[in-house]
Amino acid sequence: MDPRRLHRESIVFDAHCDTLQEVLAEKRRLGERSEEGHLDLPRLHEGGVTAQIFALFVSPNHFPTGAARQALRLLDVFYQALEENADQLTLATKASEIERAKAEGSVAGILSLEGAEALEGDLGVLRAFYKLGVRNIGLTWNLRNAAADGVDEMRSSSGLTNFGVQLVREMNRLGILVDISHLSPTGVHDVLHVSEAPVIASHSNAYPLCPHRRNLTDEQLEGVASKGGVVGVTFVPNFVTEGGDQATLKKALDQIDYMVKTMGIDHVGLGSDFDGFFHSKVQGLEDVTRLPGLTAGLVERDYGEEDVKKILGGNFLRVFKEVVG
Ligand SMILES: [Zn+2]
């Protein structure tokens, strides 16, 4: 099996990047190839990516007021890029649009809120963001918000608030993916209990291989798998290996191996977090154009063709189809 051909034929689904912030800050344009950061449309094309989740991340300097505005500004940046690059980028709000993008050689952009701050505690705002195309929401970033606690709330970490429970239920009803990356341990437990739909962790690794608070324990990995969900292996160097110094493609493949062993082949995907980290890199995965090397690594480790396709994007597409439609 030729790994290059296999990569080209596969639906490659990356569940998290922070590139819109770079575009909003006018450091880069989505349609122009850059040597800076990790991805843009030309590099997504070269890396063979079919579907890319773009996070609308609202940093804490926009709390407690102004969070919705900041998310809307990021959304505006995405819609402007869509207009400017209509031949290369499409908005995907359902699974068939991802499949169509694959057929047409375009990148399917999927919109995600990273943190519920932008909802400002209001389910009506959630429904409006749904109408604007948002199909995935990470309930928290690292801090506490109206829905739940994030992983940094170590002093008195708790789980979903009453609003958080209502939010998960309304996301289930609308067809928005519930994303547990960044959530506190109790929050993860609560979401697995409350959500009626499969849940995802868009960008998290395995804690036993790299004990960082952002990574997931065996129990959490198994919990996501038992609900039919998917965990996206992330390339943040210090989530790949402790301290991040020795982060290499091989170590990222070790993370995939471990998750497949723990959760099963149907529950592992990719969630790079490209453009969400700046000062270090995973050797061999320096930017999105290196993704075909990951496929080659999987083939070398004796994953069969169907299994490689599941990891590259088949699993995330399955969950997207099931939850979003
Ligand atoms: Zn993140």
Side-chain angles (χ1 to χ4, degrees), residues 63-96:
F63 308 159
T65 55
R69 174 170 174 263
Q70 182 66 6
L72 289 168
R73 291 174 74 201
L74 288 158
L75 203 68
D76 176 54
V77 157
F78 176 84
Y79 273 99
Q80 280 186 41
L82 203 57
E83 263 177 41
E84 289 165 12
N85 305 280
D87 52 335
Q88 297 177 71
L89 177 66
T90 51
L91 171 68
T93 57
K94 43 182 184 278
S96 61

Short mmCIF file of all heavy atoms in Angstrom, two decimals, residues 63-96:
data_model
loop_
_atom_site.label_atom_id
_atom_site.label_comp_id
_atom_site.label_asym_id
_atom_site.label_seq_id
_atom_site.Cartn_x
_atom_site.Cartn_y
_atom_site.Cartn_z
N PHE A 63 -13.20 38.63 28.99
CA PHE A 63 -14.18 38.27 30.01
C PHE A 63 -14.26 39.43 30.99
O PHE A 63 -13.27 40.13 31.19
CB PHE A 63 -13.75 37.03 30.82
CG PHE A 63 -13.38 35.82 30.03
CD1 PHE A 63 -12.58 34.82 30.59
CD2 PHE A 63 -13.80 35.66 28.72
CE1 PHE A 63 -12.23 33.70 29.88
CE2 PHE A 63 -13.45 34.53 27.99
CZ PHE A 63 -12.66 33.55 28.57
N PRO A 64 -15.35 39.61 31.70
CA PRO A 64 -16.60 38.88 31.54
C PRO A 64 -17.50 39.50 30.47
O PRO A 64 -18.48 38.90 30.10
CB PRO A 64 -17.26 39.02 32.92
CG PRO A 64 -16.75 40.34 33.43
CD PRO A 64 -15.38 40.55 32.83
N THR A 65 -17.17 40.72 29.99
CA THR A 65 -18.04 41.28 28.95
C THR A 65 -17.24 41.40 27.65
O THR A 65 -16.04 41.60 27.66
CB THR A 65 -18.56 42.69 29.33
OG1 THR A 65 -17.44 43.51 29.61
CG2 THR A 65 -19.49 42.62 30.53
N GLY A 66 -17.94 41.25 26.55
CA GLY A 66 -17.28 41.36 25.26
C GLY A 66 -16.93 40.01 24.64
O GLY A 66 -16.35 39.97 23.55
N ALA A 67 -17.29 38.91 25.33
CA ALA A 67 -16.93 37.59 24.81
C ALA A 67 -17.70 37.27 23.52
O ALA A 67 -17.13 36.76 22.56
CB ALA A 67 -17.18 36.52 25.86
N ALA A 68 -18.99 37.58 23.51
CA ALA A 68 -19.80 37.29 22.32
C ALA A 68 -19.28 38.11 21.13
O ALA A 68 -19.14 37.60 20.02
CB ALA A 68 -21.27 37.61 22.58
N ARG A 69 -18.96 39.36 21.39
CA ARG A 69 -18.44 40.23 20.32
C ARG A 69 -17.15 39.67 19.74
O ARG A 69 -16.97 39.62 18.52
CB ARG A 69 -18.21 41.64 20.87
CG ARG A 69 -17.55 42.60 19.90
CD ARG A 69 -17.60 44.03 20.46
NE ARG A 69 -16.85 44.95 19.63
CZ ARG A 69 -15.59 45.30 19.87
NH1 ARG A 69 -14.95 44.77 20.91
NH2 ARG A 69 -14.98 46.15 19.09
N GLN A 70 -16.25 39.22 20.60
CA GLN A 70 -14.98 38.68 20.12
C GLN A 70 -15.20 37.42 19.28
O GLN A 70 -14.58 37.24 18.23
CB GLN A 70 -14.05 38.40 21.31
CG GLN A 70 -12.68 37.88 20.93
CD GLN A 70 -11.82 38.89 20.17
OE1 GLN A 70 -12.21 40.06 20.01
NE2 GLN A 70 -10.68 38.44 19.69
N ALA A 71 -16.10 36.54 19.73
CA ALA A 71 -16.40 35.33 18.95
C ALA A 71 -16.99 35.71 17.59
O ALA A 71 -16.66 35.10 16.56
CB ALA A 71 -17.36 34.43 19.72
N LEU A 72 -17.84 36.73 17.58
CA LEU A 72 -18.46 37.17 16.32
C LEU A 72 -17.42 37.79 15.38
O LEU A 72 -17.51 37.63 14.16
CB LEU A 72 -19.60 38.16 16.60
CG LEU A 72 -20.84 37.52 17.22
CD1 LEU A 72 -21.80 38.59 17.74
CD2 LEU A 72 -21.57 36.61 16.23
N ARG A 73 -16.44 38.48 15.95
CA ARG A 73 -15.37 39.04 15.10
C ARG A 73 -14.58 37.91 14.44
O ARG A 73 -14.21 37.99 13.26
CB ARG A 73 -14.42 39.91 15.95
CG ARG A 73 -15.05 41.19 16.43
CD ARG A 73 -14.10 41.93 17.36
NE ARG A 73 -13.00 42.54 16.63
CZ ARG A 73 -11.83 42.89 17.18
NH1 ARG A 73 -11.62 42.67 18.47
NH2 ARG A 73 -10.90 43.45 16.46
N LEU A 74 -14.31 36.83 15.20
CA LEU A 74 -13.59 35.68 14.62
C LEU A 74 -14.44 34.99 13.55
O LEU A 74 -13.94 34.56 12.51
CB LEU A 74 -13.21 34.68 15.73
CG LEU A 74 -12.10 35.16 16.66
CD1 LEU A 74 -12.14 34.42 17.99
CD2 LEU A 74 -10.73 35.00 16.00
N LEU A 75 -15.73 34.93 13.82
CA LEU A 75 -16.67 34.37 12.84
C LEU A 75 -16.67 35.20 11.56
O LEU A 75 -16.66 34.66 10.44
CB LEU A 75 -18.07 34.38 13.48
CG LEU A 75 -19.11 33.42 12.98
CD1 LEU A 75 -18.74 31.99 13.34
CD2 LEU A 75 -20.45 33.75 13.64
N ASP A 76 -16.63 36.50 11.72
CA ASP A 76 -16.58 37.42 10.58
C ASP A 76 -15.32 37.19 9.74
O ASP A 76 -15.37 37.17 8.52
CB ASP A 76 -16.64 38.87 11.09
CG ASP A 76 -16.50 39.88 9.96
OD1 ASP A 76 -17.28 39.79 9.00
OD2 ASP A 76 -15.60 40.74 10.05
N VAL A 77 -14.20 36.98 10.43
CA VAL A 77 -12.93 36.69 9.75
C VAL A 77 -13.06 35.41 8.91
O VAL A 77 -12.59 35.35 7.78
CB VAL A 77 -11.79 36.57 10.80
CG1 VAL A 77 -10.62 35.77 10.27
CG2 VAL A 77 -11.32 37.95 11.22
N PHE A 78 -13.72 34.40 9.48
CA PHE A 78 -13.91 33.16 8.73
C PHE A 78 -14.78 33.40 7.51
O PHE A 78 -14.46 32.96 6.40
CB PHE A 78 -14.54 32.08 9.63
CG PHE A 78 -14.84 30.81 8.87
CD1 PHE A 78 -13.85 29.85 8.68
CD2 PHE A 78 -16.10 30.58 8.33
CE1 PHE A 78 -14.11 28.69 7.96
CE2 PHE A 78 -16.37 29.43 7.61
CZ PHE A 78 -15.37 28.47 7.42
N TYR A 79 -15.90 34.11 7.70
CA TYR A 79 -16.81 34.36 6.56
C TYR A 79 -16.15 35.21 5.48
O TYR A 79 -16.40 35.01 4.29
CB TYR A 79 -18.12 34.98 7.05
CG TYR A 79 -19.12 33.92 7.47
CD1 TYR A 79 -19.30 33.59 8.80
CD2 TYR A 79 -19.87 33.23 6.52
CE1 TYR A 79 -20.21 32.60 9.19
CE2 TYR A 79 -20.78 32.26 6.89
CZ TYR A 79 -20.94 31.94 8.23
OH TYR A 79 -21.83 30.96 8.59
N GLN A 80 -15.29 36.14 5.88
CA GLN A 80 -14.54 36.93 4.88
C GLN A 80 -13.60 36.03 4.08
O GLN A 80 -13.51 36.13 2.85
CB GLN A 80 -13.74 38.03 5.56
CG GLN A 80 -14.58 39.24 5.93
CD GLN A 80 -13.70 40.37 6.47
OE1 GLN A 80 -12.62 40.62 5.96
NE2 GLN A 80 -14.18 41.02 7.51
N ALA A 81 -12.92 35.12 4.79
CA ALA A 81 -12.00 34.18 4.12
C ALA A 81 -12.77 33.28 3.16
O ALA A 81 -12.30 32.92 2.08
CB ALA A 81 -11.23 33.35 5.14
N LEU A 82 -13.98 32.93 3.57
CA LEU A 82 -14.85 32.09 2.72
C LEU A 82 -15.18 32.81 1.41
O LEU A 82 -15.13 32.21 0.33
CB LEU A 82 -16.14 31.82 3.52
CG LEU A 82 -16.99 30.61 3.19
CD1 LEU A 82 -16.19 29.32 3.29
CD2 LEU A 82 -18.16 30.54 4.18
N GLU A 83 -15.48 34.10 1.52
CA GLU A 83 -15.80 34.88 0.31
C GLU A 83 -14.58 35.03 -0.59
O GLU A 83 -14.67 34.91 -1.81
CB GLU A 83 -16.27 36.28 0.71
CG GLU A 83 -17.77 36.42 0.75
CD GLU A 83 -18.20 37.80 1.22
OE1 GLU A 83 -17.59 38.82 0.82
OE2 GLU A 83 -19.16 37.86 2.02
N GLU A 84 -13.43 35.27 0.05
CA GLU A 84 -12.21 35.52 -0.73
C GLU A 84 -11.66 34.25 -1.37
O GLU A 84 -10.88 34.33 -2.32
CB GLU A 84 -11.11 36.11 0.18
CG GLU A 84 -11.38 37.53 0.61
CD GLU A 84 -10.48 37.95 1.78
OE1 GLU A 84 -9.51 37.23 2.09
OE2 GLU A 84 -10.78 38.99 2.39
N ASN A 85 -12.01 33.10 -0.81
CA ASN A 85 -11.40 31.84 -1.26
C ASN A 85 -12.47 30.80 -1.60
O ASN A 85 -12.35 29.63 -1.23
CB ASN A 85 -10.47 31.28 -0.18
CG ASN A 85 -9.41 32.27 0.26
OD1 ASN A 85 -8.41 32.45 -0.43
ND2 ASN A 85 -9.65 32.94 1.37
N ALA A 86 -13.51 31.26 -2.30
CA ALA A 86 -14.66 30.38 -2.55
C ALA A 86 -14.27 29.10 -3.29
O ALA A 86 -14.95 28.08 -3.17
CB ALA A 86 -15.72 31.15 -3.34
N ASP A 87 -13.18 29.14 -4.03
CA ASP A 87 -12.76 27.95 -4.78
C ASP A 87 -11.98 26.96 -3.90
O ASP A 87 -11.78 25.82 -4.29
CB ASP A 87 -11.88 28.37 -5.97
CG ASP A 87 -10.73 29.29 -5.54
OD1 ASP A 87 -10.86 29.96 -4.49
OD2 ASP A 87 -9.71 29.31 -6.24
N GLN A 88 -11.54 27.40 -2.73
CA GLN A 88 -10.68 26.54 -1.89
C GLN A 88 -11.29 26.16 -0.55
O GLN A 88 -10.82 25.23 0.11
CB GLN A 88 -9.36 27.25 -1.57
CG GLN A 88 -8.48 27.57 -2.74
CD GLN A 88 -7.27 28.34 -2.24
OE1 GLN A 88 -6.41 27.78 -1.58
NE2 GLN A 88 -7.23 29.63 -2.51
N LEU A 89 -12.30 26.92 -0.11
CA LEU A 89 -12.84 26.74 1.25
C LEU A 89 -14.36 26.75 1.19
O LEU A 89 -14.95 27.59 0.51
CB LEU A 89 -12.35 27.89 2.14
CG LEU A 89 -12.85 27.94 3.59
CD1 LEU A 89 -12.31 26.76 4.40
CD2 LEU A 89 -12.44 29.25 4.26
N THR A 90 -15.00 25.79 1.91
CA THR A 90 -16.45 25.80 2.03
C THR A 90 -16.80 25.68 3.51
O THR A 90 -16.01 25.18 4.30
CB THR A 90 -17.10 24.62 1.26
OG1 THR A 90 -16.44 23.41 1.66
CG2 THR A 90 -16.95 24.78 -0.24
N LEU A 91 -17.99 26.13 3.88
CA LEU A 91 -18.47 25.96 5.25
C LEU A 91 -19.21 24.63 5.32
O LEU A 91 -20.09 24.37 4.50
CB LEU A 91 -19.40 27.11 5.63
CG LEU A 91 -20.14 26.95 6.97
CD1 LEU A 91 -19.17 27.02 8.15
CD2 LEU A 91 -21.23 28.02 7.13
N ALA A 92 -18.86 23.80 6.28
CA ALA A 92 -19.57 22.53 6.46
C ALA A 92 -20.43 22.60 7.72
O ALA A 92 -19.92 22.79 8.82
CB ALA A 92 -18.60 21.37 6.56
N THR A 93 -21.73 22.49 7.53
CA THR A 93 -22.65 22.44 8.67
C THR A 93 -23.34 21.09 8.73
O THR A 93 -24.15 20.83 9.61
CB THR A 93 -23.72 23.54 8.58
OG1 THR A 93 -24.42 23.40 7.33
CG2 THR A 93 -23.10 24.92 8.65
N LYS A 94 -23.06 20.22 7.76
CA LYS A 94 -23.50 18.83 7.84
C LYS A 94 -22.50 17.93 7.13
O LYS A 94 -21.66 18.39 6.34
CB LYS A 94 -24.92 18.66 7.29
CG LYS A 94 -25.25 19.37 6.01
CD LYS A 94 -26.73 19.09 5.70
CE LYS A 94 -27.17 19.68 4.38
NZ LYS A 94 -27.51 21.09 4.44
N ALA A 95 -22.60 16.63 7.44
CA ALA A 95 -21.58 15.68 6.98
C ALA A 95 -21.48 15.62 5.46
O ALA A 95 -20.38 15.49 4.91
CB ALA A 95 -21.87 14.30 7.55
N SER A 96 -22.64 15.75 4.78
CA SER A 96 -22.61 15.65 3.32
C SER A 96 -21.76 16.76 2.71
O SER A 96 -21.17 16.59 1.64
CB SER A 96 -24.04 15.70 2.75
OG SER A 96 -24.64 16.93 3.10
#
